[in-house]
Amino acid sequence: MQYSWQYPCSRKRFQTQLADNSMRRKWDIFCAVIDNFGDIGVCWRLAKQLVHEHGQSVRLWVNNLVSFANIVPEVNPRAQYQIIHCVEICYWQRSFVDTEPADVVIEAFACELPEKYVRAMLQKERNPVWINLEYLSAESWVTEYHGLPSPHPRFSLAKTFFFPGFVPGSGGLLREKDCLTIHDNFDQATERKFFQRKRLSERKTGEIRISLFCYQSAPVENFIQVLSESTVPVLLIVPQGIAADRLSALFNHAPCQTKALINYKQLTIQIIPFMEQTEYDLLLWSCDFNFVRGEDSFVRAQWAIKPFIWNIYPQQEDAHRDKFDAFLTLYTAGLPVKVASAVQAMWHCWNVRCELNNLIWEDFAACYGPLIQHNKNWVNQLLKQEDLASNLVQFAENQL
Ligand code: TRH
């Protein structure tokens, strides 16, 4: 099974492409992995889209190839330079090599470009377009700040703040051009094949399938108790990581042991190896409910249409609270009061590690039908905006 955004590309095809199109713009994307997989997850998707949907030439500078290899197994964590899916991947070392800067430079999530590189930008006949790609937020100030320039304190260079977002006037969201068409064609037979390939348990009659990806802040143990008392069988699929470790500890399950099933009353837990990024999408499409976190899985869950529960990345001094409330307000606007309340109760509980009881979960799960309809409408609304990669290309072209 091959999806278009897996973008296979050989070295030969890469060289032909370069030779073929001298007009293509050169892009450098700088990504410093702070923790987890969201930073590189976003940069990788963007890099692939720029190459394959916009014909740009992209170098992706990453300071942590081990993290990268978790979501893209083709990545060799020891290679200084490699080409994957026609994207040039360069290991970003502390002592930065002399490099000719690209036409467009993306500084992802304020990661701070190497001084040497900034000085080289100054030497170019035409200054590169310098963009600081920010974190995603639904807060209302985003549209005011999106696109604002910020002059460099010492050099005659300016970078532009680019804010992804959910509303017109923001930078938009990462979305491959055929992502939703492929999703719509993902039928039960394809889903079954995916489950077989991943050695996931077959669906039992009346079973609910849930995928789980979350932070320490989520009341996982509490949720397990709730699910075990469900009136229908539940399969909880947990890629290795924080949640899987907690469940392993809870059930005395060897942490490295994946695929083995844990059975507890109505609940079956299946811990699986961390998936490739493209495969994770298929998991989200195949489950009835998706627990997601951070930024990238959160957006992917929206394209998957299924009811989802977001675990926001916790920030110091609870700075994430406003971000959480802003999205919840935007997302639940227009929902019938009962459904909106069920979503709010479940999401709040999941994020503040409160006592999650059967009622909160059952109320939320009972909204499955209305939430599917709502998510379709939500996605249709999001589709009114251009996607993030297209917006970046448009912006860069206007500057060059
Ligand atoms: O890994 P995260 O917690 O990343 C976070 C956020 O981006 C946060 O905003 C940022 O500040 C912090 O990192 C540093 O969650 P996120 O954003 O969902 O990224 C997870 C990536 O991992 C995403 O690209 C999907 C991918 N993934 C897989 O490829 N396979 C898997 O099995 C799973 C569960 C996820």
Side-chain angles (χ1 to χ4, degrees), residues 32-42 45 70-72 109 135-136 212-215 238-240 242 272-281 283-284 291-300 311 313 315 323:
V33 175
I34 309 291
D35 58 3
N36 304 328
F37 311 104
D39 303 302
I40 186 59
V42 166
R45 277 190 206 288
N70 270 292
I71 60 167
V72 184
F109 314 119
Y135 284 112
L136 172 64
L212 179 62
F213 184 43
C214 62
Y215 297 116
V238 194
Q240 274 177 323
I242 295 171
I272 57 168
F274 200 78
M275 294 185 142
E276 284 182 41
Q277 198 188 44
T278 44
E279 300 254 275
Y280 180 60
D281 270 334
L283 181 68
L284 297 177
F291 285 73
V292 287
R293 73 183 201 190
E295 179 162 329
D296 191 52
S297 58
F298 167 54
V299 172
R300 302 316 283 186
N311 194 190
Y313 183 76
Q315 287 172 278
K323 198 167 161 175

Side-chain angles (χ1 to χ4, degrees), residues 36 54 94 106 116 124 144 212 228 242 298 335:
N36 304 328
H54 299 277
R94 214 164 277 202
I106 304 249
K116 206 184 213 181
K124 283 198 67 130
E144 282 168 48
L212 179 62
S228 72
I242 295 171
F298 167 54
L335 267 176

Side-chain angles (χ1 to χ4, degrees), residues 108-124:
F109 314 119
C111 65
E112 218 174 298
L113 300 184
E115 166 104 7
K116 206 184 213 181
Y117 186 89
V118 177
R119 287 183 182 279
M121 279 162 78
L122 272 173
Q123 304 308 316
K124 283 198 67 130

Side-chain angles (χ1 to χ4, degrees), residues 234-294:
V234 179
L235 174 65
L236 185 68
I237 303 167
V238 194
Q240 274 177 323
I242 295 171
D245 290 348
R246 279 166 69 182
L247 294 175
S248 298
L250 189 67
F251 290 97
N252 255 337
H253 175 80
C256 55
Q257 196 187 336
T258 56
K259 303 215 173 103
L261 301 179
I262 302 171
N263 290 303
Y264 179 45
K265 301 191 222 170
Q266 280 287 47
L267 173 66
T268 303
I269 301 171
Q270 187 161 10
I271 296 175
I272 57 168
F274 200 78
M275 294 185 142
E276 284 182 41
Q277 198 188 44
T278 44
E279 300 254 275
Y280 180 60
D281 270 334
L282 309 191
L283 181 68
L284 297 177
W285 299 354
S286 308
C287 287
D288 305 308
F289 296 91
N290 292 309
F291 285 73
V292 287
R293 73 183 201 190

Side-chain angles (χ1 to χ4, degrees), residues 130-143:
W130 182 1
I131 297 166
N132 182 27
L133 179 62
E134 279 293 338
Y135 284 112
L136 172 64
S137 176
E139 288 160 289
S140 56
W141 55 263
V142 158
T143 47

Side-chain angles (χ1 to χ4, degrees), residues 41-49 174 176 277 281 296 300:
V42 166
C43 291
W44 175 236
R45 277 190 206 288
L46 173 63
K48 284 191 294 179
Q49 253 191 288
L174 278 176
E176 299 82 6
Q277 198 188 44
D281 270 334
D296 191 52
R300 302 316 283 186

